[in-house]
Amino acid sequence: MVDLLEYAVRGIPTGCVFALLAVGLVLTYKTSGVFNLAFAAQAYTSAAVFYVLRKEQEWPLFWSAFIAIVIVGPALGLLLERVLFRHLRGAGSLAKMVTSLGLLIAIPEVVKLFFGSDAKSNPPPLWYVRRTDEWLWPQGSKFVLDAGQVTTIVSTLVVVVGLTVLFRYTNLGLRMRAVVESPRLAELNGVNAERVSMASWMLSSMMAGLAGVLVAPLFASLNPIDLFTLLVAALAATVVGGLSSIPLTFFGAIGLGMLQAVLAGSLPTNSVLATGLRPGLPFLVLFALLIFRPGLRSNSETADPLATVDPPLPVPVAVSRPRWMSISSRTVGVVATIFGLLVSWFLLDGFWLAIVISGVVLAVIMLSLTVVTGIGGMLSLAQAALAAIGAFTTAQVVTATGLPVLVAMLIGAAVAAACGALLAIPVVRLDGVYLALATLAFALMFESILVPLSWVSGGSVPLAVPRPVIGPWDLADDRYFLLFAALCLTVIALAVIRVRQGTTGRFLQAIQSSPTAANSIGISGGRSRIIAFTLAAGIAGFGGGLLASFAGRANYQASFPYVVGLVWVALVISAGARSIQAAVFSGIMFFLLPATLNRVFSWPENYLEAHQQAPEWMQNLLGLVQPNWALPVSFILFGIGAFTYAKHPEGIIEARTNSSVTALLRWTERRKAKVDASSSVDAPQVSA
Amino acid sequence: MTPTTDSTEHPNEQPAPLLQASGISKRFAGLMALADVSIQVGAGETVAVIGPNGAGKSTLFNCLSGVLRADRGTVTFDGQRLESLGPTQRSRLGIARTFQRIELFGGMTVRDHLMVAERARSGRGGLWSDLFRSSKPTEEEYARCQAVLDLLGLDDVEDRSADSLSLGKGRLVELGRALMCEPRLLFLDEPSSGLDRNETEEMSLALETVQREHGTAVVLIEHDVPMVQRLATRIYVLDYGSLIASGNTMDVLEDEVVRAAYLGVAT
């Protein structure tokens, strides 16, 4: 008992770390209505600035901290507000979340371009010592705190008290909340929404900066993914506070820290429970809280009373365009696909062929996002985990039973679908943002608890998955594999189209556009959404098995980490969640863009090598370009793509198609009018 | 009047009402939205619920159709207790409704609205038939859709997206969607609000036809007194969440208390 109490007290510093992140996130949500996943990226930015100034440039503590937290933090917030979130105020909370997902992906890569992508090890604490353990207090006591813990605890208390006062007693706090509820109503009541919103973003961004600098020393090196994982761990606390109460969030975070410490201390050290559960615990708690906390199920999004001022969503092109255009565009699609396959077959070398195949296989997984997000209206961040389940099952079945790979892949798809159904049953009752968070929690539970187990992943060495052999065709030849993958993609794409146009798709569309009306005619939201989720999980699982078979191994770290899954989501949503072309496009782009950019960015180096006597200015200029820019730049582009979601929720590809269809129709009409005018004298004049 | 009630009806006995709600109470935080309200609706009957804005009429509808759960009270429909059932299950029993603030499915055509409701009622179609059979409407479904389109005069806009229609047409689409569920009881929440005189006339005509042909019972929230007089045989009057009067239409409309509360005539 005494031991437990001791462990609990030891958990307080960790709890304060959770509290700092959770409170910052709640602050952003309260003041901007954005569930800001990019909070971790903002924290990373300030932490990186602090690292460079304090450790590399050896600036004094005060000025490093001042620049990183008070200047860079708010400046970044201001920038994001001015160029991005200001235009998103009327958008739904999911649109804002997707945008922040894009930022989460893009910002750290920009930072890395600035400060170099080499490892930043041993981040310094926000204290006058260089390492957290150089300063301990109280010396010799049972509960010793290091510099990092003391600064975190003090800052957390100051922040929690300060923000509580701000929201409870000040005019600014009230205005911030009013602007989130309805910016237009707030403006009609004489609140300058723009200024309030700017202030909100600067404040919350400063919080992110503070959190980033304080939390960074917890890790051996500074890394945006670690910060984000920690942020997700802290999310459980935000759910305790219902995304609005700062004191409740604080206590939730402290409780979480204590629970983790107690479990760490009391579980046997070498059991599966200890190694798996301890890192996975916050995600487990998050998931459980989302499922069981009352009040999250009902409609959480407060509707802006003036929302009807906004124009309605455009009608899908597939519905609005005339029949002849649908037929011709389909023909063009088929011809382009065949052409692409012929080019890949005859012209591409091994490297580029592998890129194309990976893209086609990934497109299958992207189609699972089309089903769950585009048709089902649920933002699932767990598709990478479900794909991994398919891959692992395929590998285990092949290894254990020696069944043909194709059969194993189908078993993998079935197992993934079953897992998807199990996940869907509790999750589909949740609304928008909460559903996304629950799937994210699932992905992280899977990654931290299940993936290390050998009966899941096969242990530290990834399991081998052979290529299928179908009759006379051995798919070990990449070209045959390409044809096979393209065939799978086509079949699944056709199935997805049938679902979208069929009764299931219509029911889901009805539920998304008016849940009350859909219920009133007897459509059960839960049932249709579970079906969509399960189908999507099955598709993801099949895609995962296919990817493993192509790569030769079911390698989690290389193909399926949850962060990679987030990039997939950002990509496919910005391209168009409902459209098949968008899924194929984003699948191929995910591999093709980095590879292409790598070639582009390698060109200066190769050029200089070939032309040793190039003028010096040219050598200096071209020497700046690094081939390893390829990945950061592609991720930045993928991230920026997600920003368009709020403006074009139907996706870039759909929006472009729509505008070109409109232009084409106008052109044909004008031509027709001209012909009519010239053929008959008394035809009415058509104004342009 | 309807085949369902004919079998149970005895000539000299009051038939059991189709819907019997007693003692319905609903509280929103500090506000008593409904206090001990009881109403009953016979099969094939048209009943109006009137009262000033904020009297709790829509809340009553929401409690009866299952969108909200009443704090207290019992609801019996055709001999079956409804309190524990959600809106979906109540709809399958034969209760349909329209909404005060119009609720259409964005991006769907008028015909799609009806077809979705038809499929939801019949339970035809599902993932399996989407994937491996045709999800196209059968001839029978098509004919049923067409009948409702004709009845409501919507056949000239059947391929238009429902968002693009006027409010009046939109209300007719909502009514059509509800009718596709073959309801035995229909809740209409202010069907004439936002409609001009012609459209109101069209709506009344359609409702009369529906009642004549299908014997559907209708409960109507309505401010338009001529429409109420024309359609409803009985009226319930709500004010501040309580039932202040009920009875035959003409009697209630001439009642002093009602005129004071609702029609604003000084007593």
Side-chain angles (χ1 to χ4, degrees):
Chain A
M1 191 60 220
V2 180
D3 281 353
L4 282 189
L5 205 67
E6 196 183 313
Y7 291 134
V9 173
R10 282 184 201 285
I12 291 179
T14 321
C16 282
V17 169
F18 288 146
L20 200 59
L21 292 164
V23 166
L25 207 63
V26 170
L27 170 73
T28 324
Y29 188 72
K30 263 177 96 142
T31 59
S32 65
V34 179
F35 197 88
N36 189 11
L37 296 177
F39 191 85
Q42 288 165 278
Y44 172 74
T45 308
S46 286
V49 170
F50 184 71
Y51 182 96
V52 169
L53 294 180
R54 177 86 176 126
K55 192 154 182 188
E56 291 176 359
Q57 309 291 327
E58 307 210 325
W59 282 27
L61 172 71
F62 176 80
W63 288 110
S64 323
F66 186 79
I67 301 274
I69 298 169
V70 184
I71 305 290
V72 171
L76 181 59
L78 189 63
L79 182 75
L80 295 183
E81 200 276 340
R82 296 294 309 216
V83 304
L84 211 53
F85 287 105
R86 161 163 307 186
H87 312 289
L88 288 183
R89 275 197 303 240
S93 55
L94 262 191
K96 291 174 181 164
M97 191 173 176
V98 170
T99 309
S100 80
L101 187 60
L103 284 172
L104 173 70
I105 293 162
I107 292 177
E109 303 301 332
V110 176
V111 172
K112 282 183 195 165
L113 281 186
F114 263 95
F115 294 135
S117 52
D118 44 330
K120 298 187 176 16
S121 47
N122 294 325
L126 187 58
W127 197 238
Y128 64 85
V129 291
R130 298 280 152 168
R131 292 170 55 93
T132 48
D133 50 8
E134 281 174 18
W135 188 90
L136 299 171
W137 179 88
Q139 299 266 353
S141 129
K142 202 166 165 191
F143 302 104
V144 181
L145 298 171
D146 65 26
Q149 291 170 328
V150 171
T151 46
T152 306
I153 292 173
V154 171
S155 314
T156 307
L157 291 177
V158 170
V159 161
V160 168
V161 172
L163 290 180
T164 310
V165 169
L166 174 76
F167 283 112
R168 197 156 289 176
Y169 300 109
T170 71
N171 207 348
L172 181 65
L174 190 65
R175 287 176 178 203
M176 283 174 168
R177 279 155 59 193
V179 170
V180 175
E181 286 284 313
S182 169
R184 279 176 281 231
L185 271 184
E187 292 216 304
L188 289 176
N189 282 309
V191 174
N192 187 337
E194 309 231 316
R195 284 223 323 248
V196 171
S197 158
M198 266 155 54
S200 303
W201 272 95
M202 287 166 71
L203 180 68
S204 71
S205 198
M206 193 166 87
M207 268 292 300
L210 177 68
V213 171
L214 281 170
V215 166
L218 290 177
F219 301 101
S221 70
L222 188 58
N223 177 345
I225 296 173
D226 288 339
L227 281 181
F228 182 65
T229 308
L230 191 65
L231 180 76
V232 180
L235 282 180
T238 67
V239 177
V240 172
L243 279 187
S244 71
S245 163
I246 285 174
L248 269 183
T249 306
F250 171 73
F251 290 120
I254 299 292
L256 188 65
M258 287 180 162
L259 185 63
Q260 203 177 17
V262 167
L263 278 186
S266 55
L267 289 175
T269 45
N270 52 0
S271 72
V272 174
L273 276 180
T275 48
L277 194 58
R278 207 160 67 89
L281 178 80
F283 314 121
L284 209 66
V285 174
L286 171 63
F287 191 77
L289 275 174
L290 283 167
I291 304 300
F292 294 114
R293 192 184 191 280
L296 291 186
R297 252 172 274 163
S298 54
N299 210 347
S300 55
E301 199 169 333
T302 45
D304 182 349
L306 290 184
T308 44
V309 176
D310 296 318
L313 268 183
V315 180
V317 179
V319 176
S320 65
R321 69 183 168 194
R323 201 174 154 69
W324 63 267
M325 221 183 252
S326 301
I327 293 170
S328 47
S329 92
R330 246 169 252 161
T331 318
V332 169
V334 170
V335 170
T337 311
I338 293 174
F339 180 73
L341 286 177
L342 286 177
V343 167
S344 310
W345 182 280
F346 289 111
L347 299 179
L348 293 187
D349 62 16
F351 175 78
W352 291 104
L353 190 59
I355 296 277
V356 171
I357 297 172
S358 310
V360 170
V361 174
L362 184 59
V364 172
I365 301 179
M366 293 295 197
L367 279 178
S368 83
L369 280 160
T370 310
V371 172
V372 70
T373 304
I375 302 175
M378 299 168 278
L379 183 61
S380 164
L381 303 178
Q383 295 311 106
L386 292 166
I389 290 175
F392 287 150
T393 311
T394 308
Q396 297 279 15
V397 167
V398 168
T399 318
T401 65
L403 280 172
V405 193
L406 266 182
V407 178
M409 279 181 202
L410 292 176
I411 295 175
V415 170
C419 294
L422 283 179
L423 170 62
I425 288 167
V427 154
V428 292
R429 293 171 311 169
L430 299 168
D431 268 322
V433 169
Y434 292 109
L435 188 143
L437 291 184
T439 55
L440 183 61
F442 172 81
L444 275 155
M445 282 194 290
F446 179 73
E447 182 164 318
S448 56
I449 302 176
L450 292 178
V451 171
L453 303 176
S454 65
W455 63 267
V456 177
S457 64
S460 50
V461 179
L463 287 172
V465 183
R467 299 271 182 96
V469 179
I470 307 169
W473 298 288
D474 185 352
L475 270 53
D477 182 341
D478 276 358
R479 289 185 300 177
Y480 285 121
F481 196 92
L482 173 65
L483 284 193
F484 175 66
L487 182 71
C488 293
L489 179 63
T490 313
V491 169
I492 292 173
L494 290 176
V496 171
I497 292 176
R498 296 198 72 150
V499 171
R500 188 176 63 190
Q501 290 171 343
T503 315
T504 314
R506 288 291 158 79
F507 280 12
L508 286 162
Q509 193 184 351
I511 288 159
Q512 279 168 70
S513 93
S514 169
T516 345
N519 284 336
S520 83
I521 56 172
I523 298 175
S524 151
R527 187 160 172 268
S528 311
R529 293 174 94 186
I530 288 172
I531 290 174
F533 208 101
T534 308
L535 178 66
I539 295 175
F542 184 78
L546 206 56
L547 199 57
S549 167
F550 176 62
R553 304 196 161 275
N555 188 341
Y556 186 83
Q557 289 313 324
S559 309
F560 307 112
Y562 82 99
V563 184
V564 172
L566 295 183
V567 180
W568 295 349
V569 171
L571 238 178
V572 82
I573 284 186
S574 47
R578 278 183 74 80
S579 115
I580 304 291
Q581 300 97 299
V584 176
F585 169 84
S586 46
I588 291 178
M589 266 307 147
F590 182 78
F591 291 105
L592 192 58
L593 187 66
T596 314
L597 284 178
N598 191 296
R599 285 294 155 99
V600 172
F601 291 141
S602 313
W603 176 81
E605 213 175 70
N606 299 340
Y607 178 84
L608 288 180
E609 235 161 69
H611 302 76
Q612 296 284 350
Q613 58 277 54
E616 198 175 332
W617 63 268
M618 195 184 244
Q619 293 209 9
N620 290 339
L621 194 69
L622 292 181
L624 285 176
V625 181
Q626 307 282 331
N628 62 8
W629 284 1
L631 210 57
V633 170
S634 350
F635 274 46
I636 291 169
L637 290 176
F638 294 158
I640 289 174
F643 302 167
T644 58
Y645 176 66
K647 199 170 172 202
H648 297 297
E650 73 276 26
I652 302 170
I653 291 192
E654 173 81 10
R656 292 261 64 82
T657 324
N658 202 353
S659 61
S660 44
V661 163
T662 319
L664 197 60
L665 281 181
R666 213 174 282 155
W667 183 75
T668 47
E669 254 163 44
R670 220 177 294 153
R671 261 187 68 111
K672 225 170 107 195
K674 218 181 248 172
V675 172
D676 287 352
S678 56
S679 63
S680 67
V681 188
D682 47 12
Q685 285 295 309
V686 181
S687 59
Chain B
M1 195 183 307
T2 61
T4 44
T5 48
D6 273 350
S7 51
T8 55
E9 210 171 323
H10 300 288
N12 292 329
E13 218 175 283
Q14 192 75 6
L18 183 64
L19 179 88
Q20 169 89 51
S22 355
I24 304 284
S25 299
K26 178 75 190 171
R27 183 183 277 283
F28 294 119
L31 176 79
M32 199 70 187
L34 287 176
D36 198 22
V37 174
S38 303
I39 76 167
Q40 48 174 293
V41 184
E45 188 185 21
T46 299
V47 171
V49 177
I50 65 171
N53 287 324
K57 305 183 297 294
S58 290
T59 307
L60 179 63
F61 265 32
N62 286 340
C63 288
L64 294 179
S65 64
V67 175
L68 289 176
R69 207 146 276 191
D71 299 333
R72 262 203 318 266
T74 59
V75 186
T76 313
F77 177 73
D78 197 20
Q80 189 172 354
R81 291 287 286 270
L82 295 186
E83 294 94 77
S84 60
L85 302 183
T88 317
Q89 291 145 317
R90 294 191 198 194
S91 150
R92 294 201 181 125
L93 291 175
I95 298 179
R97 68 169 294 179
T98 66
F99 298 86
Q100 182 182 6
R101 235 181 86 180
I102 195 162
E103 296 269 0
L104 293 170
F105 302 139
M108 276 197 208
T109 66
V110 173
R111 182 177 282 283
D112 284 344
H113 274 77
L114 303 192
M115 203 55 83
V116 161
E118 164 67 19
R119 287 278 163 91
R121 181 194 63 82
S122 67
R124 264 200 76 241
L127 190 59
W128 191 258
S129 61
D130 285 344
L131 286 176
F132 302 107
R133 278 181 255 148
S134 171
S135 56
K136 289 218 171 65
T138 61
E139 245 163 60
E140 187 204 336
E141 287 173 327
Y142 192 85
R144 288 173 41 79
C145 257
Q146 195 58 47
V148 171
L149 289 172
D150 289 339
L151 171 69
L152 300 177
L154 288 170
D155 38 352
D156 52 333
V157 291
E158 57 170 320
D159 288 323
R160 292 254 308 270
S161 164
D163 322 306
S164 65
L165 299 177
S166 67
L167 182 61
K169 289 282 183 203
R171 288 204 183 280
L172 285 173
V173 174
E174 266 204 330
L175 177 60
R177 184 177 64 190
L179 288 177
M180 288 308 284
C181 301
E182 297 192 330
R184 279 185 289 160
L185 176 61
L186 189 55
F187 289 112
L188 303 176
D189 200 341
E190 303 205 10
S192 81
S193 103
L195 268 57
D196 65 24
R197 189 169 296 183
N198 283 336
E199 288 173 329
T200 308
E201 175 64 25
E202 233 173 277
M203 177 73 82
S204 303
L205 263 178
L207 281 175
E208 281 172 342
T209 316
V210 169
Q211 288 213 286
R212 201 170 50 239
E213 290 178 0
H214 302 278
T216 311
V218 176
V219 184
L220 166 91
I221 291 177
E222 189 49 69
H223 288 301
D224 185 81
V225 174
M227 187 173 177
V228 170
Q229 280 174 322
R230 174 174 172 181
L231 294 174
T233 49
R234 285 190 303 121
I235 291 188
Y236 290 93
V237 187
L238 276 178
D239 196 16
Y240 292 110
S242 310
L243 213 52
I244 58 167
S246 62
N248 288 333
T249 305
M250 285 327 289
D251 301 346
V252 171
L253 285 178
E254 277 157 22
D255 186 273
E256 298 270 301
V257 184
V258 174
R259 294 175 78 86
Y262 182 49
L263 303 173
V265 179
T267 45

